[in-house]
């Protein structure tokens, strides 16, 4: 008779849920049973339904697995409703071999989160996001202005108006 060794892992997050984010639907699980999994849509009323179901189920913390931007709306709803939300990188949750379903995926995320094996990805705060947006926009404006200046110089040269010989910068800036 073979001795079977069983290693159990302590549950760290008792009231944990797992969510597999998709482009057309989200699979949400609050336990490891079949009845613990539900599929929801992606629209605002669906996101509120997810939050309400999690509240009814006394969930406190949620782990979401998403590789795209589909998570943003649900993330905002869950945060505003008081949940602790962890966004996980898919490369840390994808170690089940073979073809898996969305149900298996969300159950796996929930299991890993329950035993405390998931860490959240870096998500900047609101001020950092705004600063990033402004910096990106400024960079785009600078690039657009540089492209326009180059085109003006090119077209003036094609018209045989050689302002670039007389003026260092046709935009009127002093160098």
């Amino acid at each position: 008779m073979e001795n079977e060794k069983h290693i159990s892992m302590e549950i760290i997050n008792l009231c944990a849920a797992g969510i597999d984010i998709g482009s057309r639907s989200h699979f949400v699980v609050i336990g490891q049973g079949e009845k613990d999994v539900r599929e929801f849509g992606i629209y605002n009323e669906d996101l509120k339904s997810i939050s309400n179901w999690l509240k009814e189920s006394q969930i406190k913390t949620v782990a979401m697995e998403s590789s795209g931007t589909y998570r943003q709306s649900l993330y905002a709803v869950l945060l505003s409703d008081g949940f602790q939300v962890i966004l996980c990188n898919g490369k840390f949750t994808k170690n089940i071999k073979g073809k898996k379903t969305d149900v298996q995926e969300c159950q796996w995320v929930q299991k890993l989160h329950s035993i405390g094996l998931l860490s959240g990805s870096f998500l900047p705060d609101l001020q950092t996001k705004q600063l990033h947006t402004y910096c990106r926009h400024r960079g785009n404006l600078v690039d657009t202005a540089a492209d326009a200046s180059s085109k003006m110089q090119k077209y003036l040269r094609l018209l045989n108006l050689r302002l670039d010989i007389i003026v260092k910068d046709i935009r009127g800036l002093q160098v």
Side-chain angles (χ1 to χ4, degrees):
M1 189 166 151
E2 242 178 69
N3 279 341
E4 284 189 33
K5 292 184 181 180
H6 180 72
I7 298 174
S8 64
M9 300 201 67
E10 182 180 332
I11 293 181
I12 305 295
N13 298 314
L14 188 60
C15 301
I19 303 177
D20 183 43
I21 303 291
S23 61
R24 297 192 177 154
S25 66
H26 305 317
F27 284 84
V28 184
V29 64
I30 57 172
Q32 292 297 302
E34 273 186 45
K35 64 178 176 34
D36 296 329
V37 180
R38 290 192 186 170
E39 181 180 10
F40 293 89
I42 58 169
Y43 300 105
N44 285 336
E45 62 270 9
D46 302 316
L47 304 183
K48 277 312 255 180
S49 295
I50 292 172
S51 180
N52 291 338
W53 184 54
L54 293 174
K55 283 180 196 172
E56 291 166 10
S57 305
Q58 300 176 338
I59 297 298
K60 304 284 184 241
T61 179
V62 178
M64 300 185 338
E65 188 275 317
S66 174
S67 55
T69 58
Y70 303 118
R71 64 158 170 88
Q72 291 173 332
S73 299
L74 179 59
Y75 183 83
V77 167
L78 294 176
L79 272 185
S80 69
D81 286 349
F83 292 99
Q84 176 194 2
V85 185
I86 295 174
L87 178 66
C88 310
N89 189 325
K91 70 180 179 181
F92 300 121
T93 62
K94 300 276 189 213
N95 63 354
I96 299 176
K97 297 229 187 278
K99 184 109 171 113
K100 20 183 206 309
T101 65
D102 292 325
V103 171
Q104 290 171 325
E105 187 71 34
C106 68
Q107 286 176 323
W108 180 242
V109 169
Q110 191 268 344
K111 183 180 278 188
L112 292 174
H113 186 44
S114 292
I115 57 179
L117 292 179
L118 293 179
S119 59
S121 299
F122 170 73
L123 293 172
D125 62 9
L126 183 61
Q127 287 179 321
T128 306
K129 279 191 220 176
Q130 287 175 340
L131 180 61
H132 180 258
T133 301
Y134 291 142
C135 289
R136 180 185 294 164
H137 183 60
R138 181 187 179 282
N140 288 338
L141 291 175
V142 168
D143 290 344
T144 301
D147 289 344
S149 177
S150 295
K151 285 181 182 178
M152 282 191 297
Q153 287 177 345
K154 175 184 172 186
Y155 295 137
L156 287 171
R157 241 181 274 119
L158 289 172
L159 293 170
N160 204 22
L161 295 172
R162 298 300 309 264
L163 283 180
D164 59 323
I165 295 173
I166 300 166
V167 181
K168 286 189 178 199
D169 190 345
I170 65 167
R171 295 173 295 164
L173 300 175
Q174 293 180 348
V175 180

